[in-house]
Amino acid sequence: MDKHRKLILLDGLTLALQLLTTIPIRKQVAWTTQTVSVSVALYPLIGLILGSVSMFTSVLFIDVLVLPATVSSFLLLLLIVSLTGGLHLDGWMDVSDGFFSRQDQERKLEIMKDSRVGAFAVISLFFLLAGKYIFIYQVIESTEYYWLYFLIIPFFSRWMMTSSLLVGRPARKDGMAYSVQQSVNSHIKFSLLIWGPLLFICIYLFFPNFFVAALLLKGAVLIILVVSFSFFNKQFGGITGDTLGTLVEGGEGILWLVAWLLLFYGIA
């Protein structure tokens, strides 16, 4: 790899970290087609980085400090929110306000751009976080391999984000999501094709007992994508930055639910 490509890869990674996390990186990165494309292609890697932080922290809380599962679940949920600065939760709240307004598509998009927070946003946020807390707690209580779920679920949610930017229809001709979609190229397609198999090969080699659970979670991911695309197209005319945040937060909530169901019924 020549110096120019290394620089683009490093800039793409830096941009992805700056956009999706609260990790303090002060380097200025030029917004170019190549840099943005590489950045989006690396979103699943950002998911693995966030998942790794959550995974090691969960082991620290539960196996080292031996904190109660109730306390650990709360602290881990707080960590997950803190690592992204609530960026995706903001999108979830905006989409909630737009959807529950029961207006036409154009009006819903206007409501989503409004910086004011409505009652429906607050209510939906409460149920989202409460649901995540309950399912994280149940997973921790149900398996000694709980830490693998903290690793893989953030990966899947960012993989869904990359998929949406690749195949999703933009709801409007402005905003962050539209700007990013203009840079979509082969880097992103390659990313979708390579990240999944690499992850599953590693799971099969090092954690074979978790392989079936990972496959079933991937199946849930595909269902979430199909349903969410249909929902976003019907309600808003396509995807926006807010719908991407909703996909991440809502998708993770559903995956934690699926993880608990797999454990509850003895499938995983």
Side-chain angles (χ1 to χ4, degrees), residues 22-50:
T22 55
I23 297 174
I25 301 177
R26 301 188 181 281
K27 179 184 178 182
Q28 293 293 325
V29 178
W31 187 277
T32 66
T33 298
Q34 284 185 314
T35 301
V36 174
S37 177
V38 171
S39 171
V40 176
L42 293 176
Y43 283 1
L45 176 61
I46 302 304
L48 283 178
I49 293 172
L50 295 173

Side-chain angles (χ1 to χ4, degrees), residues 1 10 21 23 33 54 58 114 129 162-163 168 175 192 199 223 225 261:
M1 183 182 295
L10 181 60
T21 76
I23 297 174
T33 298
S54 298
S58 70
D114 194 329
L129 294 178
T162 298
S163 301
L192 289 176
L199 180 66
I223 294 173
L225 277 176
L261 289 174

